[in-house]
Amino acid sequence: MEKIKQLMTIMAIIGTVGVTVLFLYYPLRSAMREWKKSEVSLQNTEEAGEEHAAGKERPKQLEEAPEELPKASVSSRDVTLQVQAQGQSCQIDLWRENGNNIGYFFLPSYAAGTDCAISIAEYLTEGHIQISGKPLAKGDVLKDIEWGREYPLEIFDEQDNLTAEASVIFYCTQNLGTVFLETESESMDYIHAYKGNEEGGRATVYDAEGRLLYQGDLEKVSGRGNSTWGLEKKPYEIKLAKSADLFGFGEGKTWNLLANAYDDTQIRNLLILSMGEQLGLDYTPQGAMVSLYCNGEYTGTYYLCEKVKVGEARVNIRDLGEELESVYQMTDLEKLEQKRSEDGTLRWVEMEYNPADISGGYLIERELELRFEEDTVSGFKTAGGDYYAIESPKYASYEQVCYIAGLVQDMEDAAAAEDGINPRTGKHYSEYMDVNSFVRKYLVEEISKNYDGGVTSSFFYKPADSQSTKLFAGPLWDYDAVFGNCGLDEINSNPMGITMLDDHIFGTRLFKSLYQQEDFREAVRDCYREEAGVILESMLNEQIDQLDAVYGQAVFCNNIRWQGMQNRYRYYDTYEDNIRYLKHFIRERKQFLDEVWIDDEIYHRVSFYVDDLIWKRIYVKDGEKPGPLPVPVRNQSIFVRFLNSRNPQIAYDEYRPIFSDMEFYAQWQELPAEETAGLE
């Protein structure tokens, strides 16, 4: 009996020790794993086939992505990686789109380098995780990652119970620099709530090889853009705490991050700004494609570029705004009374200061009426109906506004005159403008058939008279809706036609007037024959393929990240088809322009108006028939016919050849009210 008691006592002690060990083991297990910090290979020798190098081939398209796993979901940010190279490190969260159970790690370009360490930084569980069946602790370094391959990801709780399971895929955004933004709130919610909101933080910028270009405080990050701000993938403006030369573009504090959310190829801005540089347009903004991470979350491919502004490394003219700020504090400037003329054509700021020389510099932007009325501090409207916001100096005096408005008006009047001579001053339009820059800017807009050309984002500048007495066209800006990339009308997607930048309902008449001047038109043709056409040929035969080879992998990653985004201009589903369409449009556009500007073929514009607004425009070679009758639709009306604008008794006839430009207006028969009840 005594032996039985002793045995029971020993067993009780063993049980107590066992429970104690188990009790201590679970809390200490994570610490033990973190202390170990081993290297873990994701290579599975039994399953691994041909090794995938980050730069060898583009991953499979989205339709070939792994099937969803019908198990507990893994959430974004459940796992965070640390990427360390050249003494610098950053953290990148797992990203997963709602609706499927596949997570992605989009890693910066330099993550593919042999000297880069990719380790587990954090995971939101008290248990542990496994990737490809390999247990991982915080600090473990991942080795032998196969880019684009599906790995099983498992999350366990403290008792080793499987709580969540998904697939995870690693991608490397090749050949791009990287921008990391960290806001003070550790979130972008406040900035996204309203475009005018801004927040400070920190910024880190690397080149494609992982060399540090900037690391320091971020004075602000804010939203920018107009229609693009309404998209999920938002554009930003950042202001660094100190000037930095990013990617060799010259020192600056303020930089733009263009989302290119309307352009599924992501390269239209690159193509056009490159054309501007090759044409010798001064102060064309320089930029670089980058991968953007906001508070650890991969945000996609962006175009980091210089902001259009007056400055030594930007538009290098006299800075009247900077001179004004030496007299007034910015807070005092914002308090000055903003005034406007009775007819609303002039807007200025009431102040006592005026420099002795008010001849320049000025940076002005052609703007829409609504934005002019709502947002413009200083600006003017011309007699031809063009609105201009004065970007620099933003706070302009009455005298300054009158000066630059008068110069632009005199130029406009000269261009509109049949002989190109201002009837009031007797000066030729070329005495008001730098014709070389106007010809080249017009060519860029016309060749690309820019939907916004001559509407908005169209800049001009005037140096001080000591530098030049003339207006200059530029810098170029905002080219995501070019080369047929606009679904708002068929005019833009038609590669034929000389638009003269007046196809848009809010388009300027300035370039139409200039194009109707024989000497300006000949200068355009000469520049196209000798320079622009050659650039277009190179773009079609070489540049697009080169950009595709360099950036295609990164754009692929961007398109996974934003596959659910609604793009009102999206017509094709895949990146490859969008590249094919870009080439198609340029090829067709060049063929038409070659006919007109090199072979001297004559085309006529046949315009169709619905309710006095341009609805459709076709281009017909001299002497050829226009084709079938286009039929518009209008609520509560039956379309009857199109009538000739010069002779309303004559209807459109598809069998009559065209010998001149023609306009036709839709005729309607209104339906009785009882027949339209309930149709709205």
Side-chain angles (χ1 to χ4, degrees):
M1 188 68 179
E2 187 65 28
K3 288 183 179 182
I4 294 175
K5 287 182 179 180
Q6 289 176 355
L7 181 60
M8 292 178 66
T9 302
I10 292 171
M11 292 178 65
I13 293 172
I14 292 173
T16 302
V17 171
V19 171
T20 303
V21 168
L22 287 173
F23 180 78
L24 293 173
Y25 169 73
Y26 282 107
L28 291 174
R29 183 179 56 180
S30 296
M32 292 169 63
R33 283 189 174 126
E34 186 170 353
W35 172 77
K36 186 178 179 182
K37 291 185 178 179
S38 59
E39 292 186 352
V40 179
S41 173
L42 297 186
Q43 183 78 27
N44 190 323
T45 55
E46 294 181 0
E47 297 179 4
E50 183 180 350
E51 188 173 347
H52 295 266
K56 270 191 176 180
E57 57 183 279
R58 191 174 302 162
K60 296 178 181 178
Q61 287 300 304
L62 295 182
E63 60 266 28
E64 299 175 20
E67 295 182 3
E68 297 179 11
L69 300 175
K71 298 177 182 178
S73 296
V74 173
S75 301
S76 291
R77 300 195 175 188
D78 270 358
V79 183
T80 299
L81 297 184
Q82 178 169 283
V83 181
Q84 186 166 6
Q86 301 188 23
Q88 306 293 331
S89 65
C90 61
Q91 292 192 353
I92 296 172
D93 296 328
L94 175 73
W95 182 83
R96 186 184 70 83
E97 185 185 36
N98 293 332
N100 71 39
N101 205 24
I102 304 170
Y104 299 89
F105 281 116
F106 298 106
L107 304 184
S109 175
Y110 55 86
T114 56
D115 62 342
C116 181
I118 302 169
S119 58
I120 303 296
E122 197 73 41
Y123 44 82
L124 301 181
T125 176
E126 294 300 319
H128 70 282
I129 65 171
Q130 290 186 171
I131 296 179
S132 196
K134 310 293 180 65
L136 295 168
K138 295 174 185 177
D140 282 351
V141 177
L142 305 181
K143 306 293 288 185
D144 304 319
I145 297 173
E146 295 186 27
W147 308 103
R149 178 183 174 184
E150 173 192 0
Y151 291 98
L153 168 65
E154 299 163 307
I155 298 179
F156 298 85
D157 62 17
E158 292 178 278
Q159 285 74 42
D160 280 333
N161 296 313
L162 179 64
T163 59
E165 190 172 12
S167 295
V168 63
I169 302 175
F170 296 83
Y171 284 128
C172 182
T173 59
Q174 299 168 40
N175 304 319
L176 268 63
T178 311
V179 176
F180 293 95
L181 302 180
E182 301 170 52
T183 59
E184 292 170 347
S185 65
E186 300 182 355
S187 168
M188 298 295 286
D189 291 348
Y190 175 70
I191 294 167
H192 289 172
Y194 175 66
K195 191 174 73 172
N197 291 348
E198 59 185 55
E199 190 174 349
R202 285 185 62 79
T204 306
V205 183
Y206 302 97
D207 68 9
E209 287 71 41
R211 289 184 288 266
L212 184 65
L213 302 180
Y214 178 86
Q215 187 171 52
D217 289 340
L218 185 66
E219 192 171 309
K220 72 164 188 175
V221 56
S222 60
R224 63 163 313 281
N226 293 301
S227 64
T228 53
W229 179 248
L231 298 176
E232 285 183 82
K233 187 187 179 188
K234 298 187 181 299
Y236 305 106
E237 180 180 295
I238 61 174
K239 187 174 184 180
L240 308 177
K242 58 183 180 181
S243 292
D245 183 354
L246 303 183
F247 302 98
F249 302 146
E251 288 203 349
K253 294 178 68 175
T254 305
W255 301 82
N256 284 317
L257 284 160
L258 304 184
N260 286 324
Y262 282 140
D263 179 11
D264 284 339
T265 73
Q266 298 281 294
I267 63 173
R268 282 177 167 85
N269 262 305
L270 268 172
L271 290 170
I272 295 300
L273 295 179
S274 173
M275 176 184 281
E277 279 192 295
Q278 293 177 75
L279 287 173
L281 274 166
D282 289 338
Y283 313 128
T284 297
Q286 295 179 288
M289 297 274 273
V290 298
S291 295
L292 178 65
Y293 297 82
C294 296
N295 298 304
E297 179 181 332
Y298 173 69
T299 317
T301 300
Y302 278 71
Y303 188 60
L304 174 77
C305 62
E306 301 169 308
K307 178 180 172 66
V308 175
K309 59 178 294 187
V310 173
E312 187 174 341
R314 301 296 183 260
V315 182
N316 192 12
I317 58 176
R318 180 182 169 207
D319 195 338
L320 287 173
E322 187 177 67
E323 292 180 18
L324 184 62
E325 290 175 20
S326 68
V327 178
Y328 291 90
Q329 296 292 326
M330 181 55 70
T331 52
D332 294 331
L333 283 172
E334 293 171 350
K335 294 176 183 177
L336 293 175
E337 183 182 3
Q338 298 179 21
K339 304 194 74 173
R340 66 172 64 192
S341 59
E342 288 187 9
D343 61 3
T345 59
L346 300 177
R347 306 186 74 156
W348 70 93
V349 174
E350 189 68 27
M351 57 183 165
E352 298 177 1
Y353 172 77
N354 254 321
D357 179 10
I358 63 170
S359 66
Y362 295 92
L363 177 65
I364 62 176
E365 179 186 4
R366 207 273 188 183
E367 193 52 280
L368 294 170
E369 179 181 3
L370 179 62
R371 295 179 196 163
F372 179 86
E373 295 295 337
E374 291 182 349
D375 303 327
T376 299
V377 176
S378 306
F380 56 92
K381 177 188 177 185
T382 68
D386 284 354
Y387 292 85
Y388 290 93
I390 301 177
E391 299 295 332
S392 180
K394 181 178 180 180
Y395 299 91
S397 68
Y398 175 76
E399 291 79 7
Q400 290 172 323
V401 173
C402 287
Y403 171 82
I404 190 62
L407 183 62
V408 173
Q409 186 63 62
D410 285 344
M411 177 189 68
E412 182 183 274
D413 292 343
E418 187 174 349
D419 58 1
I421 296 175
N422 186 306
R424 185 181 65 83
T425 67
K427 291 184 177 181
H428 190 259
Y429 73 82
S430 61
E431 297 181 70
Y432 295 106
M433 68 169 67
D434 175 74
V435 176
N436 183 67
S437 66
F438 272 77
V439 165
R440 281 157 171 72
K441 175 177 168 57
Y442 168 72
L443 269 171
V444 169
E445 309 291 353
E446 183 68 83
I447 287 172
S448 65
K449 218 169 187 191
N450 183 15
Y451 183 75
D452 290 330
V455 179
T456 186
S457 299
S458 188
F459 289 94
F460 305 86
Y461 60 93
K462 167 63 175 67
D465 280 350
S466 58
Q467 185 177 350
S468 177
T469 60
K470 298 180 179 182
L471 282 157
F472 290 74
L476 301 179
W477 186 249
D478 194 12
Y479 292 94
D480 57 347
V482 301
F483 290 136
N485 187 39
C486 177
L488 299 183
D489 61 43
E490 295 178 11
I491 295 174
N492 178 263
S493 60
N494 184 352
M496 300 179 69
I498 302 297
T499 71
M500 294 178 274
L501 310 194
D502 78 330
D503 276 351
H504 196 291
I505 184 176
F506 299 119
T508 179
R509 300 296 178 267
L510 174 62
F511 284 97
K512 182 176 183 180
S513 297
L514 287 171
Y515 191 79
Q516 290 171 342
Q517 299 292 337
E518 184 177 353
D519 54 352
F520 187 88
R521 187 168 61 252
E522 282 306 309
V524 166
R525 291 161 65 101
D526 289 344
C527 186
Y528 179 80
R529 290 175 183 136
E530 298 167 10
E531 300 177 57
V534 177
I535 296 170
L536 200 58
E537 184 74 20
S538 174
M539 185 185 297
L540 183 61
N541 294 333
E542 300 171 14
Q543 193 177 3
I544 293 175
D545 287 337
Q546 291 169 352
L547 292 175
D548 177 33
V550 173
Y551 300 123
Q553 164 74 14
V555 176
F556 174 85
C557 293
N558 175 86
N559 292 347
I560 295 176
R561 171 64 179 82
W562 294 108
Q563 59 185 285
M565 184 183 72
Q566 294 300 310
N567 174 359
R568 65 180 179 178
Y569 296 158
R570 179 171 293 145
Y571 195 85
Y572 303 100
D573 291 333
T574 68
Y575 167 77
E576 285 78 10
D577 284 345
N578 279 287
I579 288 289
R580 290 174 65 190
Y581 171 65
L582 175 61
K583 287 183 175 182
H584 163 81
F585 186 93
I586 294 175
R587 186 181 301 109
E588 296 287 316
R589 184 71 175 145
K590 185 177 186 302
Q591 180 178 326
F592 172 83
L593 294 176
D594 284 353
E595 286 189 58
V596 175
W597 285 338
I598 296 178
D599 301 333
D600 296 322
E601 291 282 0
I602 297 174
Y603 279 83
H604 302 294
R605 302 201 300 181
V606 181
S607 304
F608 300 90
Y609 289 82
V610 174
D611 297 332
D612 295 325
L613 297 177
I614 182 70
W615 171 67
K616 186 183 291 289
R617 178 168 285 153
I618 61 175
Y619 304 90
V620 183
K621 190 176 290 189
D622 183 64
E624 294 189 353
K625 292 178 287 188
L629 173 73
V631 179
V633 176
R634 189 174 74 173
N635 288 338
Q636 303 178 344
S637 305
I638 296 177
F639 171 71
V640 179
R641 56 187 173 174
F642 275 108
L643 298 176
N644 191 298
S645 62
R646 292 193 181 95
N647 186 349
Q649 304 303 314
I650 302 297
Y652 174 82
D653 189 336
E654 65 183 273
Y655 299 106
R656 290 176 181 257
I658 300 296
F659 302 125
S660 64
D661 289 356
M662 301 184 75
E663 294 181 346
F664 295 89
Y665 287 77
Q667 181 184 33
W668 303 93
Q669 178 180 332
E670 304 302 326
L671 293 172
E674 60 271 16
E675 293 186 24
T676 61
L679 292 180
E680 294 183 352

